[in-house]
Amino acid sequence: MSVNRPPVALESTVISHGLPYPQNLSLAREMENIVRSYGAEPRTVAILGGELRAGLSDEELHHLATASNVRKVSRRDLPIVAARRLDGATTVATTMWAAHRFGIEVFATGGIGGVHRGRGDDVSADLQELAQTPVVVVCAGAKAILDLPATLEYLETFGVTVVGYGTEEFPAFYSRSSGLGVDVRCDAPEEVAAIWRAKQRLGLPGGLLVAVPVPVEAEIPAAEIEPAIEQAVKEAEAQRLRSAEVTPFLLKRIAELTGERSLQANLALLRNNAGVAAQIAVALAGKG
Ligand code: PSU
Ligand code: MN
């Protein structure tokens, strides 16, 4: 591992619980290579045998992509997997937390968790982490399985600045538009770096959310994806799913209902976000 290349954290819940095998493994490898191609250092985060890690071997990526006993680890699960020496995949919340502990400022993911539709009591720990942990999180917005207006209100309440990268709209993961605004538009990595440094100079706690729309050629218009989302949400309610089960269930059902196209969109936006995050990390290193 080169010491002078700026690091970029990558999460592992998307590998173990967000994508099917073998696409999850090839995607994990591709994201690492994209980060490298911009002169940054990929640091995929996971917990292996109870040990928190940032930077994995290819065998370890393979394990996360194939093993069935890798637990989805949110903040409340950290002491359990550590004490029992279990394997865990980190969510956006726990990847941010780990990144900060390892001194990593930039993190690329697919979509963040948020406030679930019709379930004001199911609020992802990702939002609280953004409120308190100083990491730049590059995502494609949040999936429309969530209540996007409520998610943005929550971020506003907790002082999380939302950047639209090349857009004035908050992207909705599969779709480039949501009809909802962002706080500021940036068109270059240096602009994001300047806002991040300003936030730190002002002594403001928490992260910065950088929302990048899915590449045009991979986009699925909202009207096309919405029926699948509505059906999946109804099924989750009928099965009375709770807590950490909800998001993986919805992701899997929407992928089943919409087929290959949603998988391709998911992969395209993850690759794209890895490149944007790497460029922001390089810009931050340049400014010291
Ligand atoms: N959204 C996606 N794909 C994902 C996730 C969210 O489009 O893989 C994962 C991320 O790891 C995120 C987590 O942090 O789900 C949120 O889970 P929950 O809603 O249980 O907080
Ligand atoms: Mn939840």
Side-chain angles (χ1 to χ4, degrees):
M1 239 176 268
S2 162
V3 281
N4 46 21
R5 289 175 152 238
V8 172
L10 302 168
E11 66 148 303
S12 45
T13 291
V14 66
I15 304 171
S16 297
H17 304 279
L19 292 169
Y21 179 83
Q23 288 89 346
N24 57 354
L25 179 58
S26 47
L27 185 279
R29 289 172 172 157
E30 269 183 280
M31 284 183 83
E32 292 206 341
N33 286 330
I34 291 165
V35 168
R36 283 188 195 102
S37 75
Y38 285 98
E41 181 71 28
R43 305 280 297 275
T44 302
V45 172
I47 297 161
L48 296 172
E51 192 196 343
L52 183 64
R53 302 276 306 277
L56 304 178
S57 69
D58 197 63
E59 292 70 36
E60 289 165 338
L61 285 182
H62 185 272
H63 175 68
L64 290 171
T66 53
S68 58
N69 59 345
V70 179
R71 179 168 174 153
K72 176 181 165 186
V73 175
S74 191
R75 217 174 223 267
R76 53 116 193 249
D77 307 296
L78 285 166
I80 304 168
V81 290
R84 300 199 169 170
R85 305 193 192 288
L86 302 174
D87 290 342
T90 51
T91 63
V92 169
T94 45
T95 305
M96 284 182 76
W97 172 84
H100 182 50
R101 281 175 69 98
F102 282 101
I104 304 169
E105 278 186 298
V106 184
F107 161 31
T109 184
I112 59 160
V115 180
H116 279 266
R117 290 190 189 187
R119 291 279 312 276
D121 58 339
D122 186 351
V123 179
S124 175
D126 295 354
L127 301 185
Q128 271 301 310
E129 204 66 41
L130 281 161
Q132 62 183 316
T133 301
V135 173
V136 178
V137 179
V138 179
C139 69
K143 271 209 179 103
I145 57 173
L146 302 168
D147 183 336
L148 297 183
T151 299
L152 287 173
E153 292 293 346
Y154 194 102
L155 291 170
E156 182 197 340
T157 301
F158 286 95
V160 180
T161 305
V162 180
V163 174
Y165 197 79
T167 182
E168 264 129 49
E169 258 189 82
F170 186 66
F173 198 85
Y174 295 123
S175 323
R176 293 173 60 86
S177 63
S178 64
L180 302 163
V182 290
D183 303 320
V184 63
R185 171 178 176 152
C186 290
D187 291 293
E190 292 76 18
E191 291 181 61
V192 178
I195 289 174
W196 179 238
R197 288 295 181 232
K199 177 162 179 163
Q200 289 175 316
R201 274 198 307 277
L202 293 167
L204 294 163
L208 183 69
L209 190 63
V210 179
V212 191
V214 59
V216 178
E217 62 281 4
E219 177 182 30
I220 308 178
E224 262 174 67
I225 199 97
E226 188 59 30
I229 293 171
E230 276 170 20
Q231 185 178 333
V233 169
K234 263 195 211 121
E235 289 177 13
E237 279 164 10
Q239 295 186 27
R240 298 188 185 283
L241 295 179
R242 286 289 177 269
S243 183
E245 303 169 326
V246 177
T247 297
F249 173 84
L250 293 174
L251 301 183
K252 184 162 163 285
R253 275 307 278 149
I254 290 164
E256 285 165 5
L257 293 165
T258 59
E260 191 66 10
R261 219 167 134 214
S262 67
L263 177 61
Q264 291 312 323
N266 205 340
L267 299 174
L269 66 86
L270 281 160
R271 291 184 199 107
N272 192 46
N273 294 348
V276 172
Q279 292 175 70
I280 293 170
V282 168
L284 279 170
K287 293 205 167 119

